[in-house]
Amino acid sequence: MNPKKIKDVLSRLTNGQCTISEALEQLRTLPYDDLDFAKLDHHRELRKGIPEAIYSPGKTDEQIAAIASRALDRGDEAVFTRMRQEQHQMLERMFGSKVRWYPKARIATVGMTKRPRKGKVLVVTAGTSDIPVAEEAAVTCELLGCRVERLYDVGVAGIHRLTSNIKQFDSADAIIVLAGMEGALPSVVAGMTSKPVIAVPTSVGYGASFDGIAALLGMLSSCSSGIGVVNIDNGFGAGALATIIVKNKYGKR
Amino acid sequence: MNPKKIKDVLSRLTNGQCTISEALEQLRTLPYDDLDFAKLDHHRELRKGIPEAIYSPGKTDEQIAAIASRALDRGDEAVFTRMRQEQHQMLERMFGSKVRWYPKARIATVGMTKRPRKGKVLVVTAGTSDIPVAEEAAVTCELLGCRVERLYDVGVAGIHRLTSNIKQFDSADAIIVLAGMEGALPSVVAGMTSKPVIAVPTSVGYGASFDGIAALLGMLSSCSSGIGVVNIDNGFGAGALATIIVKNKYGKR
Amino acid sequence: MNPKKIKDVLSRLTNGQCTISEALEQLRTLPYDDLDFAKLDHHRELRKGIPEAIYSPGKTDEQIAAIASRALDRGDEAVFTRMRQEQHQMLERMFGSKVRWYPKARIATVGMTKRPRKGKVLVVTAGTSDIPVAEEAAVTCELLGCRVERLYDVGVAGIHRLTSNIKQFDSADAIIVLAGMEGALPSVVAGMTSKPVIAVPTSVGYGASFDGIAALLGMLSSCSSGIGVVNIDNGFGAGALATIIVKNKYGKR
Amino acid sequence: MNPKKIKDVLSRLTNGQCTISEALEQLRTLPYDDLDFAKLDHHRELRKGIPEAIYSPGKTDEQIAAIASRALDRGDEAVFTRMRQEQHQMLERMFGSKVRWYPKARIATVGMTKRPRKGKVLVVTAGTSDIPVAEEAAVTCELLGCRVERLYDVGVAGIHRLTSNIKQFDSADAIIVLAGMEGALPSVVAGMTSKPVIAVPTSVGYGASFDGIAALLGMLSSCSSGIGVVNIDNGFGAGALATIIVKNKYGKR
Amino acid sequence: MNPKKIKDVLSRLTNGQCTISEALEQLRTLPYDDLDFAKLDHHRELRKGIPEAIYSPGKTDEQIAAIASRALDRGDEAVFTRMRQEQHQMLERMFGSKVRWYPKARIATVGMTKRPRKGKVLVVTAGTSDIPVAEEAAVTCELLGCRVERLYDVGVAGIHRLTSNIKQFDSADAIIVLAGMEGALPSVVAGMTSKPVIAVPTSVGYGASFDGIAALLGMLSSCSSGIGVVNIDNGFGAGALATIIVKNKYGKR
Amino acid sequence: MNPKKIKDVLSRLTNGQCTISEALEQLRTLPYDDLDFAKLDHHRELRKGIPEAIYSPGKTDEQIAAIASRALDRGDEAVFTRMRQEQHQMLERMFGSKVRWYPKARIATVGMTKRPRKGKVLVVTAGTSDIPVAEEAAVTCELLGCRVERLYDVGVAGIHRLTSNIKQFDSADAIIVLAGMEGALPSVVAGMTSKPVIAVPTSVGYGASFDGIAALLGMLSSCSSGIGVVNIDNGFGAGALATIIVKNKYGKR
Amino acid sequence: MNPKKIKDVLSRLTNGQCTISEALEQLRTLPYDDLDFAKLDHHRELRKGIPEAIYSPGKTDEQIAAIASRALDRGDEAVFTRMRQEQHQMLERMFGSKVRWYPKARIATVGMTKRPRKGKVLVVTAGTSDIPVAEEAAVTCELLGCRVERLYDVGVAGIHRLTSNIKQFDSADAIIVLAGMEGALPSVVAGMTSKPVIAVPTSVGYGASFDGIAALLGMLSSCSSGIGVVNIDNGFGAGALATIIVKNKYGKR
Amino acid sequence: MNPKKIKDVLSRLTNGQCTISEALEQLRTLPYDDLDFAKLDHHRELRKGIPEAIYSPGKTDEQIAAIASRALDRGDEAVFTRMRQEQHQMLERMFGSKVRWYPKARIATVGMTKRPRKGKVLVVTAGTSDIPVAEEAAVTCELLGCRVERLYDVGVAGIHRLTSNIKQFDSADAIIVLAGMEGALPSVVAGMTSKPVIAVPTSVGYGASFDGIAALLGMLSSCSSGIGVVNIDNGFGAGALATIIVKNKYGKR
């Protein structure tokens, strides 16, 4: 029930056009959605914080364009992940400067308002092949209003690369750690810091890596405390969770 | 290298008993552990925040007792998870009041110092069978210094139980959501709040639940943003992560 | 918001104790649960149709007793599945004649009201080892108000046992088919009838049966149309679904 | 044995051309198929209700054409699922107006007779990516003679979209719910209604979704009663099962 | 329809008590089972060749006794596999000399008639731990009427044990090869002979053997031709298949 | 040791050029291969019976041509399975009439001698999509010297198609049964006949069929006796095993 | 052919009792095993280096005793792994001082001769729960003739424990690294040294550790070079491989 | 801390510019990386022994070129595995003679210095399809400084091919054994020799081979001792491990 409808009921009641019990009946049988304006307001604000992410693979150009168009029409924002170069070009032809493109992160946005950046998220990768997912996470954090530091290619096969950066860990508000293959890096990082660690298994590797399963199981089974795991290659999810942690620390979005 | 050893080198240098380059050589070849006093201090403080958790199943009474004894000897704390009643009684006979016992959470502690409680963690379960793991998470938070609210048995089969508690979600600093079977609850909760959600799949269920795998996959694949997943039945891990998030928000432990 | 609360708001409005926009504000900020009386009524009626099933394994005697006690206190019903003989005896000692026990089905009920039986569900098994789960399904149907016919041990290794019973299939409103090992029976049955078939994989078998997975995958992959699959060994779920289909056919529960 | 053959035996018997035991022997040794005319009649009628679905992927144009041709020759119907645009165009060139094409559902039919529509099936999706499979289900229902209502994109991440449509659930005879990723939607829907729910896991998602396995396991493990699950992406199967349930409710097809 | 019933119809027809079309109608509507006497005769003979095997684990003493009793009552045979010593003793107390017991094979029979032994089956194991399943296979062959030679503990880790027995392979009519762990033996044996090889993966091993899965996959993936695989630990199935091959070679059972 | 080498030792012995113990020492240390002439003769004969099958996918044109060339050079035969049209054309350009091509079976042979056909193998498929693998099996049998009967598209969804062909089963020496999806057909066939059944799971199906795994597990878990299973889509393996069974029945190849 | 038989042939040849070609024929047709004395000698020596390991779980006391007795009778050695205390006591009662018992390693030996120890194997564990498997590996090395150093409980959650021991790594000839849970330790160790690393996944952990699978996959997917993996919990296998590497370095056993 | 920085501290101390305890404080708080010059020296030497392998699939031409360029700039070496012909041509155009190309092994190197070859590695394959991975292993060994012997296509289906090469096994310092399908070859080889065996499962095979999983599980479950397993198709890893074993035998690299 939108406010206008409730107002009508209340007006008719105050005008004597219906009795209290008639009004009660009308309100009682309101479907849930009739109260949704509250929820929707709340949601809209939420969406301003973290807009819906659209996973682009498998979507046609028409679908991508329609989603972008709808978001712009309602003054909303949309974040497209895993977007191919050609899809982005199509969007740009259609919506011009309302589209922004982050090629390393394979992210495009439409209608995105710039947010002031608070806090700091450290994004760490085990190898160079993890960088595209890492950039998806990093750009997500930046889009949603966090500062980001990147520390790439510090995998456990050369542990000295990691130990030499220990100070960086403690200056972050949240640490996103990406690793494929055996996925050992989050365990080592979480053992070296007292900051929340978000672990992202990547599909880097072959054979018994099973497209990220080895890394996923390793991260879930970690002997270190303080690690939350997201889906394989889910850079956006990691960025969103990091942002939520940072924003809850530094107050209202 | 402990400080004393470094001091000796420096003394010999200032006393002219060695040259700068000899001192340099001695310092250069220090094994990594020689700098561990710094790391250890840091670690000790960390351990005061989050003591090591000992997973009790499969350990003999002797092993449990030895670990407890060692922790007490060095003035340290230890948290034993999944402890059986008999193991706890054995500990109590040996170490008396230094042992505390949380039967619902199946947790025993030795040498634990009381921490002031800051912030608030909301612990939510889908069913009553998830409660033992939920209590493990909740007691972990309390032991480590967070306030905890419990909201149990609000699974998605009766979604109204959940929607009626939406206010509670927004007052928490972090939300731990436990669910077995299809593990859908974290998705729904994360869709209703802007707080960080820590999802704990539980081994509740049978058949195609595969001892928590169905819930685990569901949580990792969630369509909602802002969820970090821990291992199946890992109440301690969830509690530790929630605490780390809370403590990083409310400052130094 | 329960009706009384809404009434209060409306009264205060009609009494001039608040303005329309104040009333609107109060109604607008109602938490979802405030409308739950409707949902709850609806739910109570639903529960009378299909009471919650409590999966007994892994629950302590205390927990079983508490759930039974609570259900009886609020004039409600409870169905306990996979109950052991001793658990039932404990219940009987506590609640006497309010407890009923169906040993073949391993089901106990408390506070269950007898329902008139409508329609017909045919319960078919491939082997004799499937019978316990079949009885769970059959007794569930009977408890919830359906007539049941049983056709046991007609597996595909002797297909003539099945073809000779083709008439029985067409006289049922829904057919529950249980099979372990290769789980082929639902495909064959669904190919012989135009009635809805509910397939229940059972954990009967060894080795590559993988505790019901072979049967589950086979049923999901069936080359026949008109089959809905439930979880491995989920006799209650199959019975509940069959009952829902039957009741929707024969009108209001 | 077709009726004519049996008649011949009986005629020869009444004409004294054979003895009773000779006739008995002839009948006794009838291969099973000799009685198949009954079965075949029954089958033909059944097929008129639910024609065989041909899964098009992996079939050559020649095979598709041959199957269509054979069906038309015997006055029968055929439903081709997952058909590509080009395959459909090929069919249309060959069989003209006997071919109908439902592009959103990727379904083509040949020789299909229009059926009057009875009852109502509600088709619900969690996301927009589930729509192709949902359309396969919806069009199947319509082709086989059911009215269909569509409720798309009401996934659990925004639970208010669902609760606001609760009335629609109760007016349907059967509800098909499609979801990928964590597959939580059927649990929530089944918890809100007393109608039979047919759950369709879709291969929407990535990583730990494992092409629909996460959703499949979640649906099988659901904490709600009254759910029958079909194979991943099996829109036709869901539509056929829904139709069977509806037709068994509203009488002879 | 048993012969008597058909005879009745035919008699009434010759007696003028019914018309041809009435008789036709009666015959036409015969359920499938009415022709089952043929099938049943055939089946009985088949069963005399290979009696049904009852998998004993998970069956109560009552069930075992009932199955044995029923088989004896109808003059039939029953083979119980994986029987425990105590179950056998119970059977012997009840049915005395009608029970035979093969402890190494964990097989008990009731009502078994002795068959003359034809042909030769060679049973080969990789290790000594495979012997119980091998004995189940060997005794099955002997009970069903084949001669058996045993060649145990000739695994591929000491390939000379195998090469030295090559002559034995070529004198057999069928070779059953059992192996756990990596399950390599059937490949090697099939590469050395032109006889049909029946491969039985056993659950011997630990860790990555996964209770026989490693051996099963290895046997299915074999680089040698002429291998048919049965279920993990399925000694009876291997024995039955070997017997069928031998009997089809040496003529009617 | 080839004969010449042994002869040399023996000659030197008879010539007094070495003592018995010296000769013994030389013979004792012969590597295994020195006796391989015997093994090789035996092998050559074996290969004439069942030539090596070359799995073509993933092999370059050069590799295919080299293998064919080598086989022809040594007067041997080769069977190429899963060959693409273009690969065959390449072979034909190179080796002309020495190449034969069986397009439905995707088999090409080089240097193949025609064998007289003995015995009969029945090849049965559940659906039309199984036919390519079935033809691979059937053509293999024919190439290796067996007569073949084909019975296609008799899946369990229309069980009457199967029961009407029961006589065909008993006239075969071996039955190859191919099925995808739930893979139930071998169980039903084996329940209707006393002939050895070779079950071939095919990768036909989608979703929970998992590219043939559902069918494979179903066949391994079959409730019927007398079934040997080969790898998914392994038509050649099934044909080779059937041929071996037939040839061992009808005597020397 | 044992030496005596060959000698006989040679004698008859020198005595003129047979011709060279007759002798050749006799030798040519020797079954493979007739040369086995050579192989056996070789094998015996091999076995003295690495005696066969008997996996004790699942073996009866009688079987254990028989294997021990047979080994002692032929002057051989046997190593029993995973032996329970009671099994060892039984062995000691029977064979007295010929039995040695290593309780931490759960290893018993019979007839074992002491070997001089060469080279050095370093055995490293991630946690204390890995110690039983580590001791199995360490004792195996010692029994087979290697010196062993132990470095326990240096898991990656506290990486400083590892970096401080870097010198120890380079002084070993082979390093055995054991880890459960995420199994990250071998990657880190192999990144810090140029010695061969043998990785042993242990079944330590719960939930997504899947009894050692997470660790196994992690070790196989390692980003570090120079790692060979053995089966889960296979301490003996790791010890045997390490010994083989060491012995091949330091010359003849 | 690089040496210069430490020197500065020491200089300031000897110059009286700071006290011992001030110097101590500065040294104490050095981050780990400040000691990395030692580690880096050690690492550089290590890298000269075994340069980092870059897995080429999924990398763009730009990335490949950048990695090669960086390695050359710092006078380092790089090994690219699984490189496509076109990628190699691109490298050659850019870096000319600094690039070497091993087409059978799909390896390209840049800046590689020739090493003298020591010891001997035997590389054995089960089939011809394993050769590309075998060449990757063999070329790796040669590049890193080992002599290599190749023994290809000696799979267990024709075991005599293997037994006739037993002498070759004992003359190697390490044996790399590659096999797909059932992966049985390493077990047989390890049973015939006392040399360390490195087992490489290959993705050769189809169906239940599961892209190398069957071979992987078989190798891990091997009944032979002395086998270390690497990842599926990981020829480089096997070559690196073999080289490490050989180099540790023959002394300093």
Side-chain angles (χ1 to χ4, degrees), chain C residues 48-70:
Chain C
K48 277 185 185 155
I50 300 191
E52 204 181 349
I54 295 98
Y55 185 72
S56 309
K59 293 214 168 55
T60 62
D61 280 10
E62 287 67 34
Q63 291 173 316
I64 297 280
I67 293 168
S69 180
R70 200 161 9 120

Side-chain angles (χ1 to χ4, degrees), chain C residues 133-148:
Chain C
V133 182
E135 281 297 314
E136 185 180 306
V139 168
T140 297
C141 290
E142 290 169 343
L143 287 172
L144 301 182
C146 297
R147 273 193 306 277
V148 172

Side-chain angles (χ1 to χ4, degrees), chain C residues 65-78:
Chain C
I67 293 168
S69 180
R70 200 161 9 120
L72 289 171
D73 287 354
R74 64 178 186 239
D76 216 343
E77 310 172 315

